[in-house]
Each structure stands twice: as structure tokens, then as C-alpha cells.
Amino acid sequence: MHHPRDDEAGGATGRRARGELESNVLAALWSADGPLTARQVLQRVPGDLAYTTVLTILSRLYDKGMLVRHREGRGYAYEPARDEASHTAQRMQSLLEGGSDREAVLTRFVSQLSERDEQLLHQLLSGHDGRDGAGHSGDGK
């Protein structure tokens, strides 16, 4: 019997979820020294993808504003609009804003950090004085 989650996780059908393909393409672009063509991305992405699939993923990521592209021959070369850390931080912020109880979400997040990550977060917070680059308080306090 086929289960819809098999497609998402690459299960019985061997298919991967679009989010996984997008993540793999982004990872290939982040690890590159410069812009890559669709053919170059295809060579760096794991699995046996069709060239047209890579083109579709690149086009979708470009349409979402996650990639910039430059004309190269008859096609384009692509590179990420943001570095990996900025992308991940934006996703974390978006998830936090989507929750109804920020305190509970942050509490749960911190409680699940490794000891090393908790120490790093504490170090980062102790170096942050609540001011932005212009010397104004970030929250009006």
C-alpha cells in the first residue's frame, strides 16, 4: 500500500520532496566558489536527477528571491542571494514569528540545545548590549 509520506521522505517510490531538492541545490551553490550553471549544479547534487528537474528547482528558487542569476551563454549561472547562515537565521526568525507563544518556543529551543551550543548562545548574548549599529536601543527600552 502506498503512503503519501513515502514520497516526502524518498520512501517507497524513491522520490524526494521538493524541499529536499531545493536544499540540495542550495547546498551545492553555497559550497561553490562562484556562480554555477544548471549543468554544474546537476554534477554537484547527489542522486540521479534529470537536467530539467535542476532547471525547474533553480527557476523556483530564483522566483522566490533566493538566487540571483547572470547570463552565461544561452543560459544562466546562479548563485545564492544570501549566505547559508543568513538564510538559516531568516528561516528561524520566520518560524519564531509564526508561533503564538514566543516565550514557550524560545524556552523549548534553548532547552534542546547541546551544551556547546548553549555556551555559544550565552557568549553571543553576553556580548550583545541591546544596541544596533547606530547606537539606538533595539527595543525602545
Side-chain angles (χ1 to χ4, degrees):
M1 181 171 170
H2 179 270
H3 194 280
R5 286 181 26 172
D6 290 340
D7 291 342
E8 293 174 21
T13 65
R15 293 181 49 126
R16 289 180 279 189
R18 181 174 16 155
E20 181 183 351
L21 292 175
E22 289 181 356
S23 293
N24 289 342
V25 167
L26 282 169
L29 290 166
W30 280 319
S31 69
D33 292 331
L36 298 176
T37 64
R39 180 106 19 230
Q40 291 168 322
V41 171
L42 178 63
Q43 294 168 350
R44 292 172 177 241
V45 174
D48 187 25
L49 296 177
Y51 177 74
T52 54
T53 300
V54 172
L55 282 174
T56 299
I57 297 299
L58 289 167
S59 178
R60 287 180 179 159
L61 290 170
Y62 174 77
D63 290 344
K64 292 178 181 181
M66 297 174 73
L67 300 179
V68 293
R69 66 183 183 191
H70 314 281
R71 182 59 84 175
E72 185 159 312
R74 296 183 340 184
Y76 294 98
Y78 296 85
E79 62 185 329
R82 296 186 305 262
D83 63 22
E84 185 176 10
S86 297
H87 171 74
T88 303
Q90 185 275 326
R91 289 178 60 204
M92 292 170 68
Q93 180 68 32
S94 178
L95 289 169
L96 180 61
E97 290 173 357
S100 61
D101 186 346
R102 290 175 82 98
E103 183 176 349
V105 171
L106 285 170
T107 300
R108 184 67 50 96
F109 176 75
V110 170
S111 72
Q112 294 179 1
L113 290 175
S114 69
E115 186 175 331
R116 182 177 177 180
D117 287 342
E118 189 175 340
Q119 289 173 354
L120 176 59
L121 183 58
H122 180 70
Q123 179 184 352
L124 291 169
L125 290 172
S126 65
H128 179 72
D129 65 1
R131 295 179 182 270
D132 63 18
H136 301 290
S137 176
D139 61 0
K141 292 182 181 177

